[in-house]
Amino acid sequence: MALGVTAVPFTYVVHVLGLVAIILVLVWNIHFRGGLAWDADNKNLIFNLHPVLMILGLIFLGGEAIISYKSLPLKKEVKKVIHLTLHAIALALGIFGICAAFKNHNESGIANLYSLHSWLGIAVISLYVIQWLYGFVIFFFPGGTPAIRRESLPWHVLFGLFVYVLAIGTASLGFLEKLTFLENSGLAKYGSEALLVNFTAVITILFGAFVVLSALSDAPPAEDDYAPI
């Protein structure tokens, strides 16, 4: 499953776009929304953790985990550990981010799971857990037979990309939902915050697109691909 072009240039773009997305979402929630907190009288500060952790976790680290096989010229076993670890951290941050949204809703008297964004969010985190556990059991420990791993790999890659694209779409819906609420509460539709949110969403979508392009492109030779001289 490859485009016939080297993945390395695409991975450089992924790194840059990912850092930009993280900076923008931090500027939005710290500068415009007032900051981040797990416990606060201002319950909005609790919710602010949600977009920050989701972008940092499932989107950025999840994307970096996906392209780790294509961006690092290391031994395959080393790349496997990096891939697995980054996904584990991404999953943990994603779960924490969802908990922040529930905590904000519960303490603010807001209903949970009423929007398409929330439904898809639960679907994404559930599928992410399944994907990670399957990858851990089949490809890491205890590990499937060579035949099982060979047959599973294309489906593991395909399912992983599907979950990741779904995560990008869910994040985009989240930006739209939050911005709509803010604008209905009086936020200027063409103000700096609204433009920042839309621009962050665009960067997030571009980041996801380059993650997929990287995943479908040719990896650099691994260290153990070279024969000794």
Side-chain angles (χ1 to χ4, degrees):
M1 187 187 299
L3 298 176
V5 296
T6 181
V8 173
F10 293 139
T11 64
Y12 292 156
V13 178
V14 169
H15 301 326
V16 172
L17 289 176
L19 291 175
V20 172
I22 291 172
I23 291 170
L24 290 178
V25 78
L26 285 172
V27 169
W28 175 34
N29 287 279
I30 294 175
H31 177 69
F32 286 98
R33 293 287 97 207
L36 310 169
W38 183 251
D39 286 303
D41 293 332
N42 182 357
K43 304 307 178 183
N44 291 327
L45 302 186
I46 300 174
F47 182 85
N48 291 347
L49 287 168
H50 177 69
V52 171
L53 291 175
M54 303 314 285
I55 292 297
L56 178 59
L58 293 188
I59 303 302
F60 177 70
L61 291 180
E64 290 288 347
I66 289 173
I67 70 168
S68 59
Y69 279 102
K70 303 301 178 76
S71 61
L72 303 171
L74 303 175
K75 292 182 179 180
K76 291 178 181 177
E77 289 304 314
V78 174
K79 291 193 286 188
K80 182 186 295 185
V81 172
I82 292 173
H83 177 80
L84 188 70
T85 302
L86 287 177
H87 271 312
I89 297 172
L91 182 57
L93 291 177
I95 292 172
F96 190 26
I98 289 178
C99 288
F102 274 98
K103 189 173 190 292
N104 164 261
H105 284 197
N106 292 338
E107 295 184 9
S108 303
I110 301 173
N112 290 305
L113 300 175
Y114 62 87
S115 67
L116 178 61
H117 169 69
S118 61
W119 291 7
L120 291 178
I122 295 299
V124 166
I125 205 73
S126 300
L127 293 174
Y128 210 109
V129 169
I130 293 171
Q131 172 79 342
W132 190 88
L133 290 175
Y134 184 84
F136 183 87
V137 170
I138 297 300
F139 299 104
F140 190 72
F141 182 82
T145 65
I148 290 176
R149 293 199 303 269
R150 185 171 55 252
E151 293 294 327
S152 297
L153 183 58
W155 294 105
H156 181 68
V157 172
L158 181 62
F159 187 73
L161 288 178
F162 166 75
V163 174
Y164 190 71
V165 170
L166 187 60
I168 294 292
T170 303
S172 301
L173 282 175
F175 283 121
L176 175 62
E177 182 178 299
K178 182 63 175 180
L179 185 56
T180 300
F181 288 155
L182 292 174
E183 290 176 346
N184 287 340
S185 300
L187 184 72
K189 290 181 171 57
Y190 297 100
S192 56
E193 183 177 354
L195 294 176
L196 175 66
V197 174
N198 281 332
F199 191 65
T200 305
V202 170
I203 293 296
T204 301
I205 293 169
L206 288 175
F207 176 82
F210 276 94
V211 167
V212 173
L213 285 174
S214 300
L216 298 179
S217 300
D218 296 329
E223 285 182 356
D224 42 356
D225 286 343
Y226 294 105
I229 297 176

